[in-house]
Amino acid sequence: MMFIPNLLSAESGSESIVRARIVIVEDEPDLRDAVAEYLSASGYDVATAESASAARTLLETQSFHLAILDIAMPGEDGLSLGRWLRSKMPIGIIYATAAGTALDRIVGLELGADDYIVKPYELREVLARVRSVLRRVPQPAEPQGAKAETTANRRFMSFGPFHADLDGRFVTGTNGTVIDMAKSEFDVLEVFLTRANRLLTRAAISEAIGFVEDPESSRAVDIRIMRLRKKIEADPANPKFLRTVRGEGYIFSLPTGEGN
């Protein structure tokens, strides 16, 4: 079954036909229940699991748009579970980590996490990060008839041997091969493609992709750009497209005539 994300704010007064589904994997029952109750009250369908093994069992019969995974759990940790999830379905991932464990947050981002939250949770911040990630979760595929009618209005951009479908949210390379790209990586690429040949600071990139402002945002942007370079640059150490402007930020170089 395919679900449509509920991207409307709880204050909007509008309703979505089918709500986004979120799974919370957390071994602390009080914390798990508090987050689940808060997100449910905010308009999401929420399921919970107390361990990675319980989450795997749950995911045999259900699909989700977003997972909130505690990194430090007994048995299999959240990082391992996140890798498995990404291999099974397109899903947004927010890792939860204890305060002060910056290494876990960096590792999580390098593994393709869309965001992270720090314990103890501030529930309003959890909701803000959930909404931010769900905005970037692709909509379900359209039926063939509808797709044929809307193709002319889709946004496409090209750079070098790559072609990006900004609405379909995927990139193809040589011979039409789809590039394996996490949602968070495509978010950054879209920011650069739609602002090509312009200097962008880390703060501007963070704002454009909907990051909640915090001291780790700049590091998170750098990690996403590092992963993106590995996928679109022939030589990531000497990038042709995504160049660093020392002390200023980044610029995506797109030769005149490309991009359409």
Side-chain angles (χ1 to χ4, degrees), residues 100-156:
T101 54
L103 180 59
D104 281 346
R105 296 198 292 273
I106 291 170
V107 170
L109 290 169
E110 289 176 341
L111 291 175
D114 295 287
D115 208 340
Y116 63 87
I117 48 179
V118 178
K119 296 181 182 182
Y121 301 145
E122 209 296 313
L123 292 176
R124 287 176 296 180
E125 180 185 357
V126 174
L127 179 59
R129 292 180 183 273
V130 163
R131 286 175 173 166
S132 176
V133 172
L134 284 176
R135 288 189 194 102
R136 311 194 293 268
V137 173
Q139 294 289 325
E142 298 172 318
Q144 284 299 113
K147 184 175 182 180
E149 294 174 5
T150 59
T151 296
N153 298 320
R154 294 174 81 97
R155 298 174 300 151
F156 297 95

Side-chain angles (χ1 to χ4, degrees), residues 177-205:
T177 304
V178 176
I179 307 301
D180 181 17
M181 193 170 291
K183 298 178 187 68
S184 56
E185 295 163 8
F186 191 92
D187 293 337
V188 173
L189 177 62
E190 182 175 9
V191 169
F192 282 116
L193 286 175
T194 55
R195 298 163 178 81
N197 301 318
R198 290 167 49 186
L199 175 64
L200 298 178
T201 64
R202 290 175 177 83
I205 299 167

Side-chain angles (χ1 to χ4, degrees), residues 4 68 106 127 172-173 226:
I4 301 174
I68 301 175
I106 291 170
L127 179 59
T172 57
M226 176 187 68

Side-chain angles (χ1 to χ4, degrees), residues 56 69 76-89 91 93 95 107-108 110-113:
R56 285 176 181 259
L69 308 179
E76 183 182 6
D77 63 26
L79 296 174
S80 173
L81 178 62
R83 288 194 298 271
W84 178 79
L85 274 172
R86 275 277 163 78
S87 73
K88 296 297 182 182
M89 66 184 72
I91 188 170
I93 294 179
Y95 283 121
V107 170
E110 289 176 341
L111 291 175

Side-chain angles (χ1 to χ4, degrees), residues 109 116 188 211 216-225 227:
L109 290 169
Y116 63 87
V188 173
F211 271 3
E216 295 288 338
S217 288
S218 292
R219 176 60 175 158
V221 167
D222 290 340
I223 290 172
R224 283 162 170 77
I225 288 173
R227 296 203 314 256

Side-chain angles (χ1 to χ4, degrees), residues 4-15:
I4 301 174
N6 173 13
L7 307 184
L8 302 175
S9 68
E11 297 82 12
S12 68
S14 301
E15 293 183 351

